[in-house]
Amino acid sequence: MKKTIKNTILYSIITIALIWALLPIVWMVLSSVKTEAGMFSMPPKFFFKPNFETFKFMFSENGHFFDFLSNSVIAAVLSTVISLVLGTLGGFALARGNFKNEKGLSFWIISTRMAPIPAVILPLYLMFSKLGLIGTMPGLLFAYTTFNLPFALWMMMVFFKEVPVALEEAAMIDGCSRFQAFWRIALPPAAPGLVATGILCLMFSWNDFMFASVFSGHDTQTVPVAASLLITQNGIAWGQAMATGTVIITPMVIAGLAVRKYLVQGLSMGAVK
């Protein structure tokens, strides 16, 4: 009896938490295919005829939303790939190297990720202005990688530490080079960690507003910056705002669902202990 009561209370709490978390998202998605009058109708309507005029306008030549979307995809994907490649190699070196002050070096690397974004923007802006990177895609990529790389290094270092060194040593005794032992022996078991790290880096780059608002230019603005432009002195373009929010969350939800198995495995390998 007590167990049944506990389960009922637990399931009730979970249900309330899910409703609290998902209702705003569901409402945003529904509002993106409503007319503006339908968004504010009372009582709210959950069953209606969808209206896709807002999406048609956004992706038309006059909407220019496709330019923002392509900038977001390029910046997020390239930054994630660069961070994963360098972070994987660097993380393996930190996990297997016998450094004199390994713990201090590891903490210094992750401490650069702990710094608040406003504290990083000013020095980066001064450097980028000297190098002519303000308003360019390379500048935005460098800014994203500056924040993603320490995180990727730290995560991959912990994942590689979960892989037994004896496996690599046995492979090298059998004739593998150091790189072959890394590629064939150490990397496959750490693949879930690689996926988890990549998804988290991608989410940061995709959702970022601070870096994009400072370092992007007229031709390199991303989707979060486009969303901020919908708030004007004349009011808020609610239809486009809801549609933009839907576009922002959809790729991340799809990516998370597609790799959820590896994401759970990766995050449970020891990185969040």
Side-chain angles (χ1 to χ4, degrees), residues 2-80:
K2 290 183 179 180
K3 187 176 180 181
T4 303
I5 295 174
K6 288 182 179 180
N7 289 337
T8 303
I9 294 174
L10 177 61
Y11 292 144
S12 299
I13 293 174
I14 294 175
T15 301
I16 293 171
L18 285 174
I19 294 174
W20 180 270
L22 295 178
L23 185 58
I25 298 175
V26 172
W27 187 254
M28 178 182 68
V29 174
L30 292 177
S31 297
S32 67
V33 290
K34 287 182 178 181
T35 61
E36 188 159 343
M39 293 182 202
F40 300 100
S41 63
M42 287 295 172
K45 295 180 180 179
F46 288 91
F47 300 97
F48 54 91
K49 183 179 179 180
N51 186 332
F52 296 97
E53 292 301 320
T54 301
F55 286 99
K56 290 179 181 179
F57 171 75
M58 287 170 55
F59 287 97
S60 66
E61 294 183 1
N62 296 327
H64 303 292
F65 186 78
F66 187 78
D67 297 331
F68 296 113
L69 185 61
S70 60
N71 289 336
S72 284
V73 171
I74 293 171
V77 172
L78 288 183
S79 172
T80 300

Side-chain angles (χ1 to χ4, degrees), residues 128-211:
F128 286 5
S129 61
K130 294 290 185 181
L131 297 173
L133 294 176
I134 300 296
T136 65
M137 185 58 69
L140 191 58
L141 282 173
F142 190 85
Y144 285 166
T145 306
T146 300
F147 237 56
N148 278 334
L149 183 55
F151 175 75
L153 271 168
W154 179 271
M155 293 282 285
M156 294 310 301
M157 176 192 69
V158 178
F159 292 138
F160 280 124
K161 283 186 176 180
E162 296 289 320
V163 180
V165 183
L167 296 177
E168 300 164 38
E169 294 174 345
M172 287 188 287
I173 291 174
D174 290 338
C176 286
S177 64
R178 186 64 176 170
F179 181 78
Q180 287 175 329
F182 158 74
W183 185 259
R184 296 179 180 179
I185 306 301
L187 190 58
L194 187 68
V195 173
T197 304
I199 290 297
L200 294 174
C201 290
L202 184 65
M203 288 177 64
F204 166 76
S205 301
W206 182 260
N207 295 325
D208 170 72
F209 173 77
M210 292 289 290
F211 280 138

